[in-house]
Amino acid sequence: MTTTPVWSVDPRTGKQREQVAVEATSQEVDGAVRAAHAARGALADAGARAAFLRAAAALLDASAAHVIEAADAETALGPGRLTGELARTTGQLRAFADAVDEGAYLDIRIDRADPSLSPPRPELRRYRVPLGVVAVYAASNFPLAFSVPGGDTASALAAGCPVVVKAHPDHPATSELCASLLRRAAVESGLPADVVTVVHGFDAGLALIRHPLVAAAGFTGSVRGGRALFDAAAARPVPIPFHGELGSLNPVVVTPAAAAERAEEIGGGLAGSVTLGVGQFCVKPGLVLVPEGADGDRLTGALTKALGETEPGVLLDHRMRENFIAGVRERAALSGVDTPVTPGSGGEHTVGAGYLTVPARRLLEGAEGGAYEVLLEECFGPVTVVVRYADQREAGAVLGLLPGNLSATLQLSAAETAGAPGPAAELIGQVTELAGRIVVNGWPTGVAVAPAQHHGGPYPAATSHSTSVGATAIERWLRPVAYQSVPDALLPAELREANPLGLPRRVTGG
């Protein structure tokens, strides 16, 4: 049988480091899914799940030096960035363990029978149950927090769902290392190792989404790849939920008052956000509306200075580097588009940061014929498009062209944030229709893992209305079941009258 090797590649040189695995055959994918399916019963024990998640976090922390070294060798993201990402990853695991202990995610609701109502109400008890095996498609730009030990995996396991991860080809060695730690944590917690399994290969990813025992999927990646998997999930004889984070432009609007008040500060902050992680964050600001005039010029002057002083960086792989250079070239070739700091090749293996600028009226005219649509699409890497607008009407018209986004940011003046009359309230309303997270006087890069967080948005930012970050991410892997007039002794323990597990519940009636 022919096997295809999976190589770990150094993005700083483009050279192969080591072979870490072989691509999984359809038979091997089938075996992984069936083993995960067989492990479902063990995950029914909430205490064991919580212990497992905490044990996984502890093992990852104990192996931090090794994990960070492996991830840096494959992604060039640097020890500093990866140290923070690992802390976020283990923090997520512990947060979901706390959520399991608390039990609110089960959303237990009890309606007492009331024969006096018209029509009479029967006894109803409702909670959520796990869907089954979850397929997770790892992200390229977060080898830890959105990959094998990341939020999709952690939330699915917390829900009681075994996970089969399709590893990303940009960090296969890191994926194997993290999988071994999670599987070890499972065994140490009294669970089967197969509650988490990793497979490699493009064909394996297709076999995974089509497997009849896979009950749901989570994805972080490109619009093209995510849409193909989403369509495959919908085309199955039994369609399954597909929670995909695909692409986002993350618009920023700078009001004239904000530009007048702190142009240089905003320009410097924008440069930092655009270049963070070499522009490879999914919430990088890719389109920025800046007012015409002297204040806007001061802002772009500060942006030009900051980006011009930014050292070239290494992207996650050479294919992404080639796509970045080609994408910048295509955008810069459009009539009316200028490049005050030309982004593109910074060397044989690096790219330089920069930005493009275009008048809003030119973008609006070009959008009518479709020629300028590329300016409204994500370009993965350290580049943004600055759109200079004449007035609020023009700014609103540009926002009206945008598809769904993960985030939208408003840079407002002190008076506008204090509630003084102006465009701020109208802008808040307009961007709320576009995005899942609204940021004021900050930058979208950096997504806090918190109960109130929402990381998602209208399509193509996401394929569902759920979040992939924060405590409510667990809801993606659960479905509600109602029990009507079921004798107490036959109810699941979570719903019994005595509440033996001490779970939070909402009760209607006496």
Side-chain angles (χ1 to χ4, degrees):
M1 178 173 53
T2 303
T3 59
T4 303
V6 174
W7 291 92
S8 173
V9 176
D10 183 349
R12 294 180 174 95
T13 64
K15 295 180 179 179
Q16 294 177 340
R17 298 176 58 248
E18 59 176 334
Q19 181 183 339
V20 298
V22 295
E23 293 188 0
T25 64
S26 58
Q27 293 82 6
E28 288 167 336
V29 171
D30 177 66
V33 173
R34 291 187 182 280
H37 187 261
R40 290 176 304 148
L43 283 175
D45 184 335
R49 294 204 308 275
F52 166 39
L53 293 168
R54 293 188 177 100
L59 282 176
L60 284 163
D61 281 339
S63 304
H66 193 190
V67 170
I68 291 167
E69 180 183 17
D72 181 52
E74 293 186 305
T75 66
L77 289 173
R81 148 70 195 274
L82 291 167
T83 297
E85 186 179 336
L86 180 60
R88 171 192 173 134
T89 302
T90 57
Q92 281 182 150
L93 288 162
R94 293 185 175 98
F96 280 115
D98 292 342
V100 172
D101 286 342
E102 180 192 28
Y105 71 97
L106 293 170
D107 193 27
I108 297 173
R109 298 168 184 258
I110 298 174
D111 290 328
R112 306 288 191 200
D114 191 342
S116 69
L117 296 177
S118 181
R121 184 176 66 206
E123 180 90 357
L124 289 166
R125 295 172 182 250
R126 179 184 186 270
Y127 82 141
R128 292 170 172 164
V129 298
L131 292 176
V133 179
V134 170
V136 170
Y137 292 81
S140 62
N141 54 341
F142 282 85
L144 304 173
F146 282 86
S147 292
V148 173
D152 283 352
T153 298
S155 58
L157 291 168
C161 297
V163 173
V164 179
V165 183
K166 190 275 180 186
H168 197 280
D170 279 351
H171 37 77
T174 307
S175 298
E176 285 291 328
L177 172 58
C178 291
S180 69
L181 293 171
L182 264 61
R183 288 169 66 84
R184 177 179 155 194
V187 172
E188 291 179 357
S189 304
L191 297 174
D194 288 331
V195 294
V196 180
T197 307
V198 168
V199 296
H200 299 264
F202 177 83
D203 290 341
L206 292 177
L208 188 58
I209 199 69
R210 294 169 178 157
H211 198 287
L213 293 180
V214 167
F219 171 90
T220 303
S222 69
V223 173
R224 181 179 178 184
R227 184 53 193 259
L229 290 169
F230 175 78
D231 290 345
R236 292 166 40 124
V238 178
I240 59 172
F242 182 88
H243 300 287
E245 179 199 315
L246 308 189
S248 184
L249 202 59
N250 306 298
V252 177
V253 182
V254 182
T255 65
E261 190 173 87
R262 50 194 177 86
E264 290 80 9
E265 176 189 334
I266 294 171
L270 174 60
S273 188
V274 168
T275 58
L276 187 65
V278 202
Q280 297 173 112
F281 276 50
C282 50
V283 285
K284 178 203 74 177
L287 185 137
V288 187
L289 286 155
V290 174
E292 294 178 350
D295 293 327
D297 291 345
R298 288 193 295 121
L299 189 158
T300 56
L303 177 63
T304 298
K305 181 177 185 296
L307 291 179
E309 295 173 350
T310 301
E311 292 294 324
V314 177
L315 295 185
L316 292 162
D317 62 40
H318 280 57
R319 176 185 57 82
M320 291 183 186
R321 178 180 178 276
E322 291 166 4
N323 288 342
F324 172 72
I325 293 169
V328 167
R329 186 183 301 120
E330 179 184 10
R331 291 162 172 79
L334 293 169
S335 176
V337 174
D338 294 323
T339 54
V341 181
T342 303
S345 177
E348 184 180 359
H349 304 292
T350 59
V351 296
Y355 75 101
L356 314 173
T357 185
V358 63
R361 64 185 67 88
R362 193 59 176 267
L363 177 60
L364 292 167
E365 292 167 359
E368 293 178 4
Y372 283 60
E373 281 187 1
V374 69
L375 294 176
L376 307 178
E377 298 173 359
E378 180 182 14
C379 186
F380 198 68
V383 64
T384 194
V385 175
V386 173
V387 179
R388 302 297 298 270
Y389 68 93
D391 51 34
Q392 188 175 354
R393 181 198 61 80
E394 268 195 356
V398 172
L399 289 174
L401 297 175
L402 302 185
N405 287 271
L406 295 170
S407 72
T409 298
L410 303 181
Q411 295 292 339
L412 306 177
S413 69
E416 288 169 326
T417 58
E426 184 177 335
L427 281 171
I428 288 282
Q430 188 167 13
V431 297
T432 295
E433 296 181 0
L434 289 175
R437 178 167 58 108
I438 313 303
V439 180
V440 171
N441 291 351
W443 298 104
T445 38
V447 183
V449 180
Q453 186 58 272
H454 185 82
H455 190 60
Y459 185 85
T463 60
S464 69
H465 298 305
S466 58
T467 179
S468 61
V469 177
T472 54
I474 195 173
E475 296 172 3
R476 296 174 295 170
W477 320 119
L478 299 159
R479 67 177 179 87
V481 178
Y483 294 81
Q484 179 174 326
S485 304
V486 176
D488 193 71
L490 300 181
L491 286 168
E494 292 86 349
L495 297 179
R496 289 178 189 162
E497 184 64 23
N499 195 9
L501 303 179
L503 295 169
R505 47 175 62 180
R506 297 182 184 181
V507 181
T508 302

